[in-house]
Amino acid sequence: MAALIARPAVSGQYQTTHPKKVVMVGDSLIYGYGDTEGGGWVERLRRQWMDPAQPGPIIYNLGVRGDGVQQVSARLEDEFKLRGELRRRVPDILVLSVGLNDCARLGRSTGRPMTDEATFTRELDRLLDQAVQLCPTFFVGMVPVNEAQMPYADVLHFSRGDQARYNQIIRHACDHRQIAYLDLYQRWRSQGDDWCNERLCGDGLHPNVLGYRTLMTEVSSWSPLMQALS
């Protein structure tokens, strides 16, 4: 993909278009924590388009470990507006990935969730409504945890049952707004427990190198996003 693509203007002259700019905002799945080889799926994707001779979209990794929906919502607009690069330009595409940290339970497996379902639904609605006003938006879902490795950091309990409920909330909210949703939770669960656990770090929470390789393959074959990037 060329850095500057010549296109005929209305006047018959030629004008140039700049590479698409993509902001990816979310938690550790965006940040890439656990991938000691490639830095995560966002970084792996970014590196494909780093050759000045054949550049592609410009990708900004704005993942923050531990972020929940409220934290992402609070920083979204500022993060977006600061990534235009050129004067009076803003990014072309927004990719969100958040929700896992919200469904963690504190202290014990039956403890209160970090963000209860009603609050999560309300805050997610606010985040998505905000996002679609900025630019075309896509959502990458969470991957299933390994419950046998809980609690995480001796205090946070994650369960697939909780994940399934929050995943459904996300799917419904995205469908309602016609936001393309990559449902990694269901995709991975369909492969079985052993397959999933092989792709997670020893903490039972973050994908490992194999996990991020798998994510890279899935995102690269996700036609809604790839078509938008082309």
Side-chain angles (χ1 to χ4, degrees), residues 69 73 76-77 94 96 121-135 137 139 173-174 176-179:
V69 66
S73 182
L76 177 63
E77 191 165 351
L94 172 62
L96 296 171
T121 301
R122 182 176 65 251
E123 292 297 326
L124 181 67
D125 286 343
R126 187 164 73 93
L127 172 64
L128 297 183
D129 287 341
Q130 180 185 21
V132 296
Q133 294 299 314
L134 296 173
C135 70
T137 301
F139 204 110
C174 287
H176 180 67
R177 294 164 178 82
Q178 297 184 313
I179 295 172

Side-chain angles (χ1 to χ4, degrees), residues 79-146:
E79 297 270 35
F80 178 84
K81 289 183 176 179
L82 290 173
R83 296 315 188 285
E85 278 195 2
L86 301 174
R87 190 176 181 182
R88 292 187 296 274
R89 285 183 61 87
V90 293
D92 304 284
I93 295 170
L94 172 62
V95 179
L96 296 171
S97 184
V98 69
L100 178 61
N101 295 309
D102 294 287
C103 67
R105 291 183 181 268
L106 302 174
R108 59 187 187 277
S109 60
T110 57
R112 68 176 179 85
M114 189 73 73
T115 310
D116 64 74
E117 292 183 35
T119 301
F120 180 75
T121 301
R122 182 176 65 251
E123 292 297 326
L124 181 67
D125 286 343
R126 187 164 73 93
L127 172 64
L128 297 183
D129 287 341
Q130 180 185 21
V132 296
Q133 294 299 314
L134 296 173
C135 70
T137 301
F138 301 81
F139 204 110
V140 174
M142 67 184 88
V143 300
V145 301
N146 181 354

